Amino acid sequence: RIVFITLYSSIVLFSAILFLKKYPEIGTPFFVVMTLITYCIDKSVTNTFVVNSLYLPISIARIHDIEEDELINSSNMDCEGGEKFMYHHPLLNQENWNSKI
């Protein structure tokens, strides 16, 4: 969102500079065209990424949970259910975390 606010501000500033330099015939079309282009791209980005990204982390977390369960079930590790999750992983155990490099 900050990027588009910066773009809108830059368009207004550049158009104002063109007006002050006595080039209103260039400043007006520049302002109108660039504002429309930026607005269209802003709406496109908002519709494409913002809505989908609200649910994307949950989907990825579910995929990782399923892979984690399959990895744990395929290993020969005894699971009592009371272990800490970090040590529950077959590749991460308490020895690895307690050892110093």
Side-chain angles (χ1 to χ4, degrees):
R1 190 76 215 147
I2 298 296
V3 172
F4 287 106
I5 291 172
T6 305
L7 282 172
Y8 289 126
S9 301
S10 300
I11 291 168
V12 170
L13 182 67
F14 190 68
S15 296
I17 290 172
L18 287 173
F19 274 106
L20 292 174
K21 294 280 186 177
K22 308 288 188 211
Y23 295 112
E25 65 278 355
I26 298 172
T28 304
F30 175 81
F31 177 77
V32 171
V33 170
M34 291 305 293
T35 303
L36 287 174
I37 290 172
T38 306
Y39 178 77
C40 291
I41 293 173
D42 186 7
K43 289 302 170 191
S44 173
V45 168
T46 301
N47 291 337
T48 303
F49 295 108
V50 174
V51 174
N52 294 335
S53 67
L54 293 175
Y55 301 105
L56 187 60
I58 294 171
S59 301
I60 292 174
R62 284 186 183 143
I63 291 168
H64 287 296
D65 287 343
I66 291 168
E67 291 173 355
E68 185 79 23
D69 290 340
E70 291 173 357
L71 184 62
I72 290 171
N73 290 336
S74 67
S75 70
N76 295 328
M77 184 176 175
D78 294 331
C79 298
E80 300 167 2
E83 302 92 358
K84 291 185 180 176
F85 182 76
M86 183 174 15
Y87 305 131
H88 190 81
H89 194 285
L91 301 176
L92 301 174
N93 58 27
Q94 195 164 2
E95 284 180 21
N96 290 344
W97 288 95
N98 289 336
S99 64
K100 301 214 178 196
I101 298 177

